[in-house]
Amino acid sequence: MKEQHAKQRMFRWVGAGILTLFPLSGQANSTIESHFSQTGFTGALRTPNTQTLAFGDISLGWNFEDNIDTGSGYSDGAHNTVMLGLGIFPGFEFVSQDTYKRFNGDVGWGSAGSDLSFSAKLSSAAWFPDSPFSIAIGAQDLGGIASHHDNQYLVAGYDWQGFRLSVGYGRGSATNQMGVNYLEGGFGSLEWQTFDWLQLITDYDGTGINAGVRLSTLDGWLPWQSRLSATWQFYSDSETKNRDNAYAGVQLLVPLSLSPSQQKIVPRTKSLWREYEAPGLAAEAVTENPPQASEALPQASADAADIVMKRLADHGFQHLKVAVQGDHLSVALENNRYRRNEVDGVGVAMGMISDAWPGRFDLYLLNNGIPVTKIRAQSPRVQDYFRGDAPSVSGLNISTVSTYDYYAVPWRDPSRANSAWIPNINFSPNLRSTLGTEFGVFDYSLALGTNLVWDLWPGASLDVRHLLPLAVSDDVEQVSWHPVEEHENEVDRILVHQAFGLPLGLFTQFSYGRVYGDYIGGMNESRWQSASGRHKFSLRVGYFEQEDTEFEAEPRLLSYRYYLPEWDWALEVQNGEYWRGDTGSAVKSNHWFGDVQVIIEAHTAGEEYAGMYFKIPLTPRQEMKPKYVQVTGIEEWRWGYYTKTSGDDNRITPGAIWEPELQHNIERRYFNRDRLSPLYIRSQQHRMKAAYQQYVLGNAD
């Protein structure tokens, strides 16, 4: 005990010494940076302020507290914290956190317990960036029975000359890890942005007073506008047992890519979104001084059509067809080189067509030989935007197309560079994992997935995947009943798919074979999308039987999706029967930031669950040219987690809310991860232009 108090006195004296280095008469910075607190939200040291993560910002924080007693349970006393947060809307942040004492303990249940929880905050600051006043409301540990961070709060803030004063009132919990009086009643904080790289902080959290310092990297030090910060709380007189400790933390913040329509909603922060701002992570590169439009375009002729065909084929487009009707050109092609986002391929193709054809043209986009989208444009208008300074492609018409309309075009020649019988081999990590369980913070089984996709004829594909185990955590390896199943060296999927494009916006695919290692059966996916793409209904129906147990899985899931292109956001509701027979409903909020998709979802299926998932591309924007074989990464890799929010405990039922997910499904193979719609393509003209300038004019090929 004496040693502990001596260490605390040392921290306090060192902290006081740091404070004396920066007298109050110094020049304060008027821009006040926002950071994670110790637990669950953007704030000071241990209390929330009115700020949130900016729209599209993702942040990872890790805090390490002193004097952790590993002999007591994780619900009491000092602990470490891992936090992952996202600004999913302007002024609204969603944060997940896991608190623990040992990252990984002895093998077995309960040896290194941790607590996984979700938090949310809604603030006015993002909507009124020029006002010094702001208010926010928030809650921690949403739902669940075993809640160790449960609280709700209201906080008001005032910014002045580099100072931020926050005063709030909260409702705490008797089981809160931070103490019975933590955020119970009044709390407050004062933050002083002394320099761009230095912040001094003190707060009162209901249990005591805390003081600390925070250091940050400056703009331009890290790529993608990222920011790295370090926090040190050197003083606390908290009345909570074993919480009057110092803690140190680090936080990495990365802004994801926002489209122009997303940028127009509200300013990203008070000082950002300058004209010279560098692009965020996953942003599309645009040349600073694009060349001006050509003064004259070539004349419409069969020779011009041949030039179009040759250039597109040389670039790597497949299944090429052309039809010439006077000054009108029709081109059909399949894009297997920009599968990370079909919009890149559309932009490259439109630019190359407009370079060689002077008049109107129709571009039919095919996937596995089936027409899915039609784009009509005038070459001069495309050139005005792609090579000039026009604000967009005027007169652009985008629509869905049926197979009947496609075959009604008088195509001149048999298709060139046919994609059939050219196998695609893609590699991706296959990760099974848990977060925040009684086994520890993170358990996993990791394998290398090698997937062969071989297109046979229009709509037909052979789909085979092999899993090669790479690594496994000790709990998964040694505990037979661990919720994570260890990978085996096996071919876990052999499927044959046949898709059909139908009239009236309908599309369907039938699949039959082996999935998940030992299930044999078939599945049908069907969808209907409105002409604009704003509305979509989809249905998944299947029947599979497990070879060893003869268990019968009969998933039946019906869903409706609404898309808002201004926010690049989709809301989906779902109802039906899951893989294991549990029935219920789900609400999913889908947020797009460039090619990164974030899903926050809630399920009610006997038990209630909530989770957050990331779907990210693990492949370059431009992949290798398909010739005899094409080797690529994967356009969508999914990872995330969910937690139980109902019942008498936090134990998750194995196989609960298990949705049938095929890698070769309709949305990924044919509809650009559910982004191939007129509304989406029109909103992404800036990206089409960027792709053309980078991969055609920039000779990135």
Side-chain angles (χ1 to χ4, degrees):
M1 183 64 70
K2 291 182 178 179
E3 182 181 348
Q4 177 177 337
H5 286 303
K7 185 184 294 185
Q8 290 174 351
R9 285 196 299 269
M10 180 190 71
F11 281 136
R12 293 169 186 173
W13 280 108
V14 173
I18 291 175
L19 290 176
T20 61
L21 296 177
F22 306 100
L24 292 176
S25 60
Q27 179 63 45
N29 191 322
S30 60
T31 301
I32 308 171
E33 301 288 354
S34 298
H35 305 263
F36 277 154
S37 70
Q38 186 181 9
T39 173
F41 39 64
T42 297
L45 293 170
R46 285 181 169 173
T47 60
N49 57 26
T50 59
Q51 304 302 304
T52 60
L53 289 169
F55 184 32
D57 280 2
I58 186 170
S59 187
L60 176 66
W62 209 322
N63 296 320
F64 304 89
E65 190 169 353
D66 194 23
N67 298 319
I68 291 180
D69 179 11
T70 58
S72 62
Y74 66 82
S75 61
D76 299 314
H79 57 257
N80 300 321
T81 308
V82 183
M83 290 180 289
L84 179 66
L86 178 70
I88 59 174
F89 289 122
F92 187 80
E93 71 177 15
F94 188 85
V95 180
S96 64
Q97 70 168 6
D98 189 77
T99 58
Y100 69 96
K101 294 192 174 184
R102 288 195 295 172
F103 191 89
N104 186 35
D106 302 325
V107 174
W109 177 264
S111 65
S114 60
D115 180 50
L116 181 66
S117 61
F118 297 109
S119 305
K121 186 202 290 188
L122 179 65
S123 170
S124 68
W127 295 98
F128 303 98
D130 296 324
S131 172
F133 295 98
S134 54
I135 60 172
I137 58 173
Q140 282 189 275
D141 215 344
L142 302 171
I145 298 299
S147 298
H148 300 294
H149 288 274
D150 181 25
N151 61 63
Q152 299 83 44
Y153 57 86
L154 172 67
V155 60
Y158 180 75
D159 291 2
W160 177 80
Q161 294 291 322
F163 290 90
R164 173 172 293 146
L165 175 66
S166 302
V167 179
Y169 189 87
R171 186 185 69 81
S173 169
T175 60
N176 199 301
Q177 283 182 329
M178 305 292 286
V180 175
N181 293 320
Y182 176 71
L183 298 190
E184 178 66 35
F187 63 88
S189 66
L190 178 64
E191 302 166 71
W192 180 30
Q193 190 74 42
T194 314
F195 299 104
D196 290 343
W197 52 272
L198 176 67
Q199 194 176 82
L200 305 178
I201 319 149
T202 183
D203 64 6
Y204 172 74
D205 61 20
T207 71
I209 296 175
N210 314 291
V213 61
R214 182 174 285 135
L215 306 175
S216 299
T217 57
L218 299 178
D219 292 344
W221 282 18
L222 300 177
W224 309 312
Q225 291 182 269
S226 303
R227 186 186 71 206
L228 183 65
S229 62
T231 301
W232 178 29
Q233 176 182 291
F234 53 76
Y235 173 83
S236 176
D237 66 358
S238 174
E239 65 185 23
T240 304
K241 181 180 178 181
N242 193 23
R243 295 318 301 265
D244 56 340
N245 303 309
Y247 83 80
V250 293
Q251 180 187 353
L252 177 65
L253 183 145
V254 181
L256 300 175
S257 174
L258 295 184
S259 67
S261 61
Q262 289 175 316
Q263 295 176 25
K264 291 176 183 177
I265 298 172
V266 292
R268 197 178 182 97
T269 69
K270 292 185 178 182
S271 62
L272 296 183
W273 288 129
R274 312 178 184 96
E275 290 184 1
Y276 54 84
E277 179 184 11
L281 179 62
E284 297 79 36
V286 180
T287 56
E288 294 182 0
N289 299 300
Q292 298 300 308
S294 303
E295 295 183 0
L297 288 168
Q299 297 297 312
S301 66
D303 291 340
D306 290 337
I307 292 173
V308 169
M309 285 280 282
K310 183 179 186 306
R311 290 180 178 177
L312 293 172
D314 290 345
H315 194 78
F317 291 105
Q318 297 176 290
H319 218 104
L320 287 159
K321 291 185 178 181
V322 64
V324 179
Q325 296 171 285
D327 64 349
H328 182 84
L329 176 70
S330 295
V331 176
L333 60 82
E334 184 158 335
N335 162 46
N336 285 319
R337 201 170 183 202
Y338 301 93
R339 279 185 285 198
R340 174 165 163 171
N341 195 328
E342 293 265 31
V343 164
D344 291 335
V346 169
V348 168
M350 286 180 60
M352 296 180 76
I353 293 171
S354 66
D355 284 342
W357 185 262
R360 187 178 64 175
F361 65 86
D362 287 343
L363 173 61
Y364 290 83
L365 183 64
L366 314 179
N367 274 321
N368 198 10
I370 299 178
V372 288
T373 298
K374 175 184 173 182
I375 300 171
R376 173 168 291 182
Q378 294 275 355
S379 288
R381 304 294 175 262
V382 175
Q383 293 280 302
D384 288 343
Y385 179 59
F386 280 19
R387 286 178 172 263
D389 55 5
S392 63
V393 180
S394 61
L396 185 67
N397 184 279
I398 308 166
S399 62
T400 56
V401 59
S402 69
T403 304
Y404 175 81
D405 293 335
Y406 168 72
Y407 281 109
V409 177
W411 301 110
R412 192 181 67 182
D413 298 312
S415 62
R416 181 174 177 178
N418 198 321
S419 62
W421 302 104
I422 298 179
N424 170 269
I425 301 174
N426 60 75
F427 297 94
S428 64
N430 189 276
L431 178 64
R432 302 169 184 169
S433 62
T434 57
L435 283 174
T437 70
E438 304 303 315
F439 290 99
V441 175
F442 182 66
D443 280 302
Y444 66 93
S445 178
L446 176 66
L448 173 65
T450 304
N451 189 198
L452 168 68
V453 179
W454 205 333
D455 293 342
L456 306 176
W457 54 80
S461 297
L462 174 65
D463 175 13
V464 181
R465 185 177 70 175
H466 175 266
L467 295 177
L468 176 65
L470 298 177
V472 62
S473 62
D474 51 8
D475 282 313
V476 173
E477 185 177 28
Q478 300 179 42
V479 180
S480 60
W481 46 277
H482 196 283
V484 171
E485 183 180 356
E486 185 176 359
H487 284 95
E488 296 181 6
N489 190 342
E490 63 174 345
V491 175
D492 78 318
R493 182 173 68 224
I494 305 174
L495 289 169
V496 175
H497 309 276
Q498 178 64 63
F500 301 95
L502 304 174
L504 305 177
L506 293 168
F507 201 95
T508 190
Q509 175 177 273
F510 295 89
S511 304
Y512 181 81
R514 177 191 299 271
V515 294
Y516 304 126
D518 58 353
Y519 283 91
I520 305 294
M523 181 174 170
N524 173 258
E525 302 171 86
S526 298
R527 77 190 307 261
W528 173 85
Q529 182 172 273
S530 63
S532 66
R534 191 176 296 274
H535 307 278
K536 185 196 75 172
F537 288 93
S538 61
L539 176 66
R540 289 175 287 174
V541 179
Y543 175 83
F544 294 88
E545 183 175 313
Q546 195 171 26
E547 288 183 301
D548 295 334
T549 66
E550 297 184 355
F551 169 78
E552 296 178 347
E554 301 181 60
R556 297 186 296 272
L557 293 171
L558 176 67
S559 65
Y560 164 76
R561 186 266 291 147
Y562 176 83
Y563 176 60
L564 189 64
E566 295 81 4
W567 296 63
D568 212 357
W569 169 66
L571 181 66
E572 184 177 356
V573 292
Q574 175 181 282
N575 183 265
E577 180 178 335
Y578 296 90
W579 191 272
R580 288 290 185 181
D582 45 332
T583 60
S585 304
V587 177
K588 303 179 181 181
S589 185
N590 297 270
H591 306 261
W592 286 96
F593 303 102
D595 292 329
V596 176
Q597 183 184 11
V598 183
I599 304 171
I600 299 173
E601 59 184 38
H603 293 259
T604 299
E607 299 171 323
E608 296 178 1
Y609 296 90
M612 179 165 66
Y613 293 87
F614 295 86
K615 293 183 177 181
I616 60 178
L618 297 181
T619 193
R621 281 182 69 185
Q622 185 189 63
E623 297 173 316
M624 69 174 289
K625 290 182 181 180
K627 193 173 183 181
Y628 304 108
V629 65
Q630 186 182 30
V631 180
T632 66
I634 191 170
E635 77 282 359
E636 178 183 288
W637 182 74
R638 182 178 186 266
W639 181 81
Y641 48 89
Y642 61 92
T643 186
K644 188 177 174 183
T645 58
S646 66
D648 297 328
D649 56 59
N650 280 346
R651 297 188 180 184
I652 297 175
T653 302
I657 60 171
W658 181 355
E659 298 185 35
E661 285 284 349
L662 302 181
Q663 183 171 323
H664 187 103
N665 59 38
I666 285 180
E667 306 301 352
R668 290 174 62 172
R669 181 62 202 271
Y670 294 95
F671 292 96
N672 194 33
R673 300 169 63 193
D674 196 22
R675 296 179 294 175
L676 199 62
S677 67
L679 278 176
Y680 177 79
I681 295 174
R682 186 175 297 278
S683 72
Q684 298 295 311
Q685 293 185 53
H686 67 287
R687 178 161 184 159
M688 294 158 58
K689 175 179 180 177
Y692 168 73
Q693 292 184 350
Q694 180 174 350
Y695 297 115
V696 179
L697 300 185
N699 298 316
D701 192 22

